[in-house]
Amino acid sequence: MARITPNSSKANQQATLTTNKSTAKLTLYIGFFTLGFIIASILFMLIQSKFALNAQLVTGLSIVVGAYVAVYKFIKHQQRALTKEETNRLTIGSTAVLWMLTAVYFLGLWLFLFDTANREVLIEMTKQQPLPLLFALMMMIIFTLLINRFSLGLFNRLLDPKRK
């Protein structure tokens, strides 16, 4: 006697489709985060030309602005707050995009701004003491993740339309 459960396969297909739809939707909000981050970074760089600001402060404030833009647009479009899973995926995705932008920025500096002497100094410094540089990089990535997750969670609670 064969037991067939056609409803469970339909449920699995619909769950898969729902997951794919929400993943596709989050890429739009990662783009909104990136756009907000870039605009805030440009504004803070202009402000930095007049006033001395800490680089970590500027990065943190830019991340906060990017998180606000992403959460605001999500709530405006979806008429609901982000779930915990969506917040985590948005945090990881936007942090990955942010660090890819940082890598492109550094590559641009390396190719167009540094001359041969500056490149050699940087390579020699990296060879002599790689651990402090790796530690600083890991701390900056962790700092970015924490500020990003905290900001997304805070704005998600503050802008939630059901809490008002």
Side-chain angles (χ1 to χ4, degrees):
M1 182 156 108
R3 294 183 185 193
I4 299 174
T5 55
N7 291 340
S8 66
S9 63
K10 268 189 179 177
N12 289 341
Q13 287 175 353
Q14 286 184 356
T16 305
L17 289 176
T18 306
T19 305
N20 290 340
K21 284 182 183 179
S22 66
T23 303
K25 289 179 185 174
L26 280 183
T27 56
L28 177 66
Y29 302 107
I30 292 172
F32 283 131
F33 174 89
T34 305
L35 189 62
F37 176 80
I38 290 171
I39 291 171
S41 294
I42 290 169
L43 289 175
F44 286 126
M45 283 183 196
L46 290 173
I47 292 170
Q48 261 184 320
S49 67
K50 302 294 179 194
F51 303 106
L53 296 175
N54 188 352
Q56 287 83 8
L57 175 70
V58 170
T59 302
L61 289 175
S62 298
I63 290 169
V64 168
V65 170
Y68 174 78
V69 170
V71 172
Y72 176 77
K73 286 295 190 178
F74 183 88
I75 289 175
K76 184 178 176 185
H77 292 161
Q78 302 296 321
Q79 299 298 316
R80 65 176 178 87
L82 289 157
T83 63
K84 187 176 265 192
E85 179 185 332
E86 289 170 335
T87 306
N88 290 337
R89 285 199 330 244
L90 187 59
T91 300
I92 299 296
S94 57
T95 301
V97 168
L98 185 128
W99 278 96
M100 283 191 292
L101 286 173
T102 303
V104 168
Y105 177 73
F106 184 72
L107 186 63
L109 288 176
W110 182 266
L111 294 175
F112 299 116
L113 190 62
F114 291 168
D115 60 353
T116 307
N118 288 340
R119 288 183 194 139
E120 294 231 3
V121 167
L122 192 59
I123 289 172
E124 194 63 34
M125 181 181 70
T126 305
K127 285 180 182 177
Q128 286 180 3
Q129 293 186 346
L131 288 180
L133 291 174
L134 288 174
F135 181 71
L137 178 66
M138 290 304 298
M139 290 305 294
M140 288 179 67
I141 291 172
I142 291 169
F143 170 75
T144 304
L145 276 168
L146 289 175
I147 293 293
N148 196 355
R149 178 65 173 96
F150 177 75
S151 299
L152 286 171
L154 178 71
F155 290 128
N156 193 35
R157 282 184 64 92
L158 289 176
L159 299 175
D160 186 3
K162 292 181 182 171
R163 295 195 76 190
K164 292 182 179 179

